Amino acid sequence: MTKGLFITFEGADGCGKTTQIELLDKYLREKGQQTLLTREPGAKGLGVKLREILLNYDGEVSPQCESFLFLADRAQHVDCIIKPALKEGKVVLCDRHTDSTVAYQGYGRGLDLSRINMLNDIATSGLKPDLTIVFDIDVETSMQRVGKEKDRMESSGVEFFNKVREGYLEIAEKEPNRVKVINSSDTIENIHKKVVELIEKL
Ligand code: TYD
């Protein structure tokens, strides 16, 4: 398979990663790179329907069920969108991927981490990002950025988001080669420079 590059952007809600992924996409395109900007959950097609359930369903959702819905979206995304783009040699920029399930459903909801890693592996058929950037921010600031209109996941509370943050930092400690942490309380321009430095190293 001709290989592009697979880069994932991670962090708690309100960490500013979506702004940064768009800036990086623009930067790479201006350099003449072919990119695919995509996201989880809900890149397109069936994923959009799963996203609607995951973010807006207002009845009871068990943590296991929540995990499987994110994983179902991921399997579809990897097979139908990410792998074909990598095969074409594109730089795939993905807003959230496997580490979100580890941080949110594992650390946040308390599901078994080794099982989540195994299920992630099944959903992606073993595909791993070449680089993952975690945008780290304190929970108070991230909740302020999210604002009052919160979706189902964002309504999970401060304690939950402290665990999610801790989860991301532990993932980065465990896999220092793949996962890099950027302090996201800096200015948009400075954070973008740090992102570009990481990409140029690849
Ligand atoms: P989204 O609006 O895309 O959030 P953001 O802009 O912060 O990325 O909503 C996705 C939500 O789903 C977000 O709260 C994180 C959560 N999520 C999980 O809990 N597990 C997962 O595996 C993924 C991909 C997302």
Side-chain angles (χ1 to χ4, degrees), residues 97-165:
H97 189 61
T98 45
D99 298 306
S100 284
T101 315
V102 177
Y104 280 74
Q105 282 65 51
Y107 286 85
R109 301 276 193 236
L111 295 184
D112 183 81
L113 294 179
S114 58
R115 278 200 193 180
I116 291 205
N117 286 330
M118 189 182 72
L119 291 169
N120 261 333
D121 218 44
I122 294 171
T124 60
S125 314
L127 178 74
K128 291 256 182 300
D130 297 291
L131 171 71
T132 296
I133 307 177
V134 169
F135 295 84
D136 182 50
I137 186 106
D138 65 275
V139 174
E140 203 181 314
T141 313
S142 69
M143 286 295 104
Q144 272 168 12
R145 287 189 188 170
V146 166
K148 284 198 180 122
E149 294 244 325
K150 294 183 170 60
D151 63 36
R152 195 181 67 81
M153 294 304 299
E154 289 162 350
S155 308
S156 302
V158 172
E159 202 187 319
F160 174 84
F161 279 102
N162 274 319
K163 290 186 202 156
V164 169
R165 182 183 188 197

Side-chain angles (χ1 to χ4, degrees), residues 9-18 39-42 51 54-55 66-67 69-71 73-74 95-105 109 120 146 151-156 160-161 164 168:
F9 281 51
E10 294 279 0
D13 294 70
C15 70
K17 66 184 164 40
T18 306
R39 71 167 180 196
E40 290 181 15
R51 179 183 174 88
L54 280 160
L55 300 189
E66 185 178 275
S67 304
L69 289 172
F70 280 116
L71 287 156
D73 171 68
R74 181 158 308 130
D95 193 339
R96 296 194 182 283
H97 189 61
T98 45
D99 298 306
S100 284
T101 315
V102 177
Y104 280 74
Q105 282 65 51
R109 301 276 193 236
N120 261 333
V146 166
D151 63 36
R152 195 181 67 81
M153 294 304 299
E154 289 162 350
S155 308
S156 302
F160 174 84
F161 279 102
V164 169
Y168 275 125

